[in-house]
Structures are given as C-alpha cells and as structure tokens.
Amino acid sequence: DVFSGVELIPLAFDGDYYPSRVKQLVVAGEYALVCDNKNVVHVFGKDGRYVSSSSSKLGNGPGEYSTLIGFTWNPYSESVEILTPDKMMSYDVNFNHVSSSKLPTSIGDDGVMYDRVFDLSATRHLLLPTGISKNPSRVLVYDSEEGAIEAEIPYGEDVVVETGMPATCFYRTGRGEVLFSPPSVTEHLYKVADDEGEMQKVVWLQSGSNGITKEDISRFGDDKPALNRYLINCEKEIPLRVLPSDESIFVLAKSGNSMNDMESLHIDRRTGKIVSVPIKRGDTRTFPMLEDVDADYAYAIMEKELLAVAPELAMTDSTGIKDKLAEIEDESLVILKYKIKD
C-alpha cells in the first residue's frame, strides 16, 4: 500500500574491505554515504560504485581525525563534513582535506558537543548538541567561516524524553522545506526557516492511548539508570525514528524490548491514514528499518544473506529473490531503494 517497487543497489567496497556493522546511511544528491563501526565514511555513487573512503584520514596529523561523532554531505560546497569533539572538518568527495572550523564545544558540568549537522549553505549550518550535553533540546545556527553561533533555537517544551535517535534529524523535501525530527520523543515535527534560523511546528505527532507521556518519565526524577531500564523494557509505544518527506512520514516505533515488538508506521500527510507493518514476525524479518528518505524514495541497507532468507524485504518471494540476488557478490551490503507511491 505504501511502495510501488524496490531497487536493490549492491555497494562495491574498495578491495577486500567489508564493514562488520553500518552505523549510518545518508543518501544525498548523486552520492550515498555509509559510516561503519570503525568511524570510516565510505562514499558511493547512486549506482553503488565505489568513490572513496576516509580511511586514510584516520589519525592525529594535519587534516586527519581520530574521533568521529557525526557527519553529513554538504550539497552547497560538495564536501563531506565530519564532526569531531572540537572541530568540523571538510573534505572533497575524494577526501582531500579542504578546511577545518573550530566548534563551540566545552567540557565539564556545562559541557556541550555536537553530533548532528545540517547545511543551510556552504558556510552556514544547523548543529545539534549530543544527548549528554547541557541543555540538549536546542538547535544552533553556526557560521563555520566565522566559527561563531548566530542563533539558538530551543524546542524543549515539546520533549517527552531524550532518546538519542535517529542519527539523521533534518530532511529537505522536494518543495524545498527543511523538516526537523528531534532526537527525542516529541509532540511535533518542525519546519526550519532557512533565512531566519527559526522553527515552526508543522506536524502534530499524536501518540495515542499507549504512547509514552511526560508523566511516565517524571516519576524517575534524576535517576537516569532507572529511566533507561524503563525505556528499554516498557510496553508503551516509543517512536525511535521519524523520517518525514513531502507527503509521507515513516516512523520506527517499539513497544517492548525485542525486535518483535517493533513496527514501521507510514503516515499519509494528506489524509492522516496510518499503515502499520511489523519489523519481524517470529524469526522472519518482514520490513527493514528505514535509514533515510527523500521526496520519492525511502532507503534501507541490508546484508545480502538476510535478503536471501527474507524475500519480503525486496517485495518478492523465494523464487524472485534468487533472480534479484544472482549477480550480487556474497557478503555484500545492499541499499534497498523503495519507491513511494504517489
């Protein structure tokens, strides 16, 4: 009911390199960027061809980084931007170092670091503080050329609880809107005004009778370990990832502590109709965890061997999946590019 088809795009990693885990997938313009568990960013063409990786930039020398806590693709400067604890480092598509800008970080009880960035221009950006930063529920407008904060936009009044998910929080629609889905359970999605550095509430996320509430959270006070245990195990519905596009909103939600307690929701922004699909039925994966979305497509990333035993993920059956996977090498990672129905 949601997708009209899916394209499988195998990723051709350089040489014999094969990551054991993918932390984040970003699809932007002509490129797909993958960050692995070793904090290496790999760049691929939209057809899966290998372009480059940041492996040669891991280190402590000039133009290198040792700790990656966030990254993105800047379409204005056509560069990969990597956030470290104290700098935003920019590289061209082949990972030649272009520039570095000092971030307004601080250490201590009032410490602030940044793990998400979205670009408004070549030198103007939106930064999100990490979940453990002081006052994390705010967006900062940052000028990397001047190394200065232009504005601070709080959204804490809507926050039910900080979750730290998803890795991507800003989405540009085909109409040019910039939509913000906070890394927390909130009551709204926001629209960012590019020229003013302001946000408007544009979508009300109604949680329903089984949704987690501020009252559920308040009883834990400052006992964060107890709160974390509750969030992991509680049976109330908690949205983990909200991916908005022009006419759709995709939500990954959980209501328990196993993958069988997770579901993917599709919300039609025009009609409000909601379609729910479980992520897993018994031992069988039935739907992927979507990683990114644009005006026309939703994206996930999977291992070939998982697709072989879960053909529903590729919108086919056991016979059809053999044909789809026949020319894909073993141990390959595959991007699933789902066409959103008009």
Side-chain angles (χ1 to χ4, degrees):
D1 291 338
V2 178
F3 301 124
S4 60
V6 60
E7 179 183 355
L8 273 57
I9 305 172
L11 299 181
F13 282 87
D14 187 33
D16 295 328
Y17 188 92
Y18 182 76
S20 59
R21 186 169 66 89
V22 170
K23 293 170 59 176
Q24 187 179 354
L25 167 68
V26 172
V27 179
E30 295 303 311
Y31 300 107
L33 289 79
V34 172
C35 183
D36 68 20
N37 57 310
K38 296 180 180 178
N39 288 334
V40 175
V41 178
H42 306 264
V43 181
F44 301 90
K46 276 288 190 73
D47 57 358
R49 62 182 172 81
Y50 173 81
V51 176
S52 63
S53 86
S54 68
S55 57
S56 65
K57 297 300 177 181
L58 286 173
N60 297 301
E64 297 178 339
Y65 68 91
S66 59
T67 303
L68 178 152
I69 56 177
F71 81 99
T72 193
W73 171 258
N74 187 325
Y76 302 98
S77 60
E78 296 190 338
S79 60
V80 181
E81 294 170 341
I82 289 178
L83 298 180
T84 74
D86 63 343
K87 293 178 182 178
M88 183 170 74
M89 308 187 71
S90 296
Y91 302 88
D92 68 17
V93 74
N94 294 309
F95 282 97
N96 297 303
H97 181 239
V98 176
S99 64
S100 296
S101 177
K102 186 171 176 57
L103 293 171
T105 57
S106 58
I107 306 298
D109 293 340
D110 295 329
V112 180
M113 289 193 293
Y114 307 92
D115 59 359
R116 295 167 179 86
V117 58
F118 180 84
D119 303 300
L120 301 176
S121 73
T123 60
R124 200 161 176 259
H125 322 268
L126 300 176
L127 294 175
L128 281 183
T130 63
I132 59 172
S133 293
K134 183 74 171 180
N135 299 325
S137 301
R138 54 195 170 124
V139 177
L140 291 89
V141 184
Y142 174 65
D143 185 327
S144 59
E145 191 170 39
E146 299 295 330
I149 297 295
E150 291 184 357
E152 181 177 308
I153 313 167
Y155 60 89
E157 65 179 18
D158 277 342
V159 172
V160 176
V161 62
E162 296 282 347
T163 63
M165 293 181 72
T168 301
C169 293
F170 295 96
Y171 302 86
R172 192 180 296 276
T173 71
R175 295 189 290 263
E177 296 177 312
V178 176
L179 299 179
F180 171 51
S181 170
S184 51
V185 179
T186 60
E187 297 174 352
H188 294 89
L189 294 179
Y190 301 85
K191 178 182 175 180
V192 180
D194 284 18
D195 55 343
E196 300 173 7
E198 297 180 352
M199 294 197 301
Q200 302 171 310
K201 299 174 183 179
V202 291
V203 178
W204 178 40
L205 297 173
Q206 188 173 8
S207 58
S209 59
N210 194 43
I212 197 165
T213 66
K214 291 183 180 180
E215 289 72 25
D216 295 323
I217 302 304
S218 63
R219 58 194 176 96
F220 292 97
D222 294 328
D223 191 346
K224 290 188 177 181
L227 172 60
N228 289 335
R229 289 193 296 271
Y230 171 74
L231 293 174
I232 291 170
N233 295 300
C234 81
E235 295 182 357
K236 289 205 167 187
E237 185 175 88
I238 301 176
L240 300 176
R241 187 178 296 166
V242 181
L243 296 83
S245 66
D246 290 63
E247 308 298 348
S248 299
I249 301 173
F250 296 94
V251 181
L252 175 65
K254 78 176 205 67
S255 54
N257 61 7
S258 76
M259 194 173 287
N260 287 89
D261 300 314
M262 301 175 75
E263 60 182 343
S264 181
L265 307 172
H266 172 258
I267 305 169
D268 189 315
R269 293 182 64 185
R270 296 161 294 189
T271 66
K273 180 182 177 182
I274 300 175
V275 176
S276 173
V277 180
I279 295 294
K280 193 176 182 182
R281 289 191 186 99
D283 295 328
T284 303
R285 285 290 297 272
T286 54
F287 200 81
M289 295 184 189
L290 297 176
E291 296 278 347
D292 204 354
V293 66
D294 58 30
D296 300 309
Y297 297 94
Y299 303 89
I301 188 166
M302 291 272 178
E303 294 182 354
K304 175 187 174 181
E305 61 184 31
L306 180 56
L307 290 173
V309 297
E312 286 185 45
L313 298 175
M315 300 178 67
T316 186
D317 55 22
S318 57
T319 301
I321 196 66
K322 291 180 181 179
D323 295 334
K324 286 179 176 286
L325 298 180
E327 297 183 2
I328 298 177
E329 294 182 5
D330 291 339
E331 296 188 341
S332 289
L333 283 172
V334 180
I335 291 178
L336 290 89
K337 181 180 179 182
Y338 294 94
K339 179 69 172 73
I340 303 171
K341 281 186 177 179
D342 297 328

